[in-house]
Amino acid sequence: MAAIPDFVSGAMEHWGLVTYRETALLYDRNISSSANQQRVATVIAHELAHMWFGNLVTMKWWNDLWLNEGFASYIEYKGVHHVHPDWQMLDQFLIADLHGVMKLDATLASHPIVQTVENPNQITELFDSITYSKGASVIRMLEDLVGAEKFRLATTNYLNNNIYRNANTNDFLNELEALNFDFDVK
Ligand SMILES: [Zn+2]
């Protein structure tokens, strides 16, 4: 992991080398606040989640960017919660991501999570809170719908069945459907 001055993104999950904006990685207990500490921990957890969601299994095309960013944005809370349950990250998700994105999602500027991408500008546009926070909120909702155990099984199957390959939204939803619920997951 390397902190890079003036790094354009928050962080980037190259396989084997994760690069960060300085404020997203560097922590000094004498200077940094608790919020800084939690921010650094969640960004690291987000980037490490990308080793599975993004690197081990990569989306087929940019229209399914939410599969990368939604999963990483949800798993970051679970990861930090695992190490620091006292930080109450799962509660913080509601305020930071779910409630936060509702503001944008209630406006005409909102868009579907899965959106057609035909030129490079549309790729940049997709890196917004609909893809990250609404994507994470929908994944959290799916987990609550089918139950944590089956959600974990479907997610594991999705990763194993698409390992070192490309996948899309249907590939993930099909793994949920394969567990045979008495309702249509899609
Ligand atoms: Zn990400």
Side-chain angles (χ1 to χ4, degrees):
M1 299 201 290
I4 297 179
D6 301 323
F7 190 59
V8 63
S9 309
M12 187 62 216
E13 68 273 14
H14 317 282
W15 208 339
L17 172 69
V18 187
T19 49
Y20 298 81
R21 195 179 293 178
E22 288 178 309
T23 53
L25 183 65
L26 303 182
Y27 169 74
D28 183 335
R29 66 172 71 239
N30 295 316
I31 299 169
S32 310
S33 66
S34 299
N36 291 146
Q37 187 183 23
Q38 293 182 9
R39 161 90 180 140
V40 166
T42 50
V43 174
I44 291 172
H46 180 106
E47 300 312 317
L48 296 187
H50 275 312
M51 296 302 136
W52 288 266
F53 303 100
N55 292 347
L56 193 68
V57 177
T58 308
M59 64 204 170
K60 278 198 179 104
W61 183 240
W62 295 95
N63 60 332
D64 283 316
L65 181 65
W66 82 285
L67 271 185
N68 270 16
E69 298 305 342
F71 261 110
S73 299
Y74 184 44
I75 300 296
E76 72 184 50
Y77 285 89
K78 282 181 175 285
V80 177
H81 171 76
H82 185 74
V83 179
H84 261 291
D86 54 308
W87 288 359
Q88 298 181 297
M89 297 309 297
L90 302 181
D91 294 340
Q92 292 195 47
F93 178 89
L94 299 176
I95 297 162
D97 280 68
L98 194 147
H99 290 175
V101 74
M102 279 181 169
K103 281 186 212 152
L104 170 60
D105 205 22
T107 69
L108 292 176
S110 188
H111 60 82
I113 291 177
V114 179
Q115 186 153 286
T116 306
V117 173
E118 286 168 344
N119 72 60
N121 288 336
Q122 291 173 318
I123 298 173
T124 313
E125 275 173 22
L126 266 187
F127 283 86
D128 69 357
S129 58
I130 295 292
T131 297
Y132 283 73
S133 298
K134 187 173 178 179
S137 300
V138 167
I139 288 168
R140 175 177 173 275
M141 193 162 62
L142 273 171
E143 182 182 33
D144 287 341
L145 180 71
V146 303
E149 206 173 306
K150 290 199 166 168
F151 177 82
R152 189 182 177 127
L153 178 61
T155 304
T156 303
N157 290 342
Y158 159 74
L159 291 170
N160 283 335
N161 292 335
N162 296 286
I163 191 166
Y164 301 118
R165 291 208 313 263
N166 301 95
N168 61 24
T169 296
N170 263 336
D171 293 321
F172 170 61
L173 294 179
N174 286 342
E175 294 297 346
L176 279 168
E177 298 237 292
L179 299 181
N180 286 322
F181 298 98
D182 53 7
F183 54 87
D184 185 335
V185 175
K186 285 181 195 174

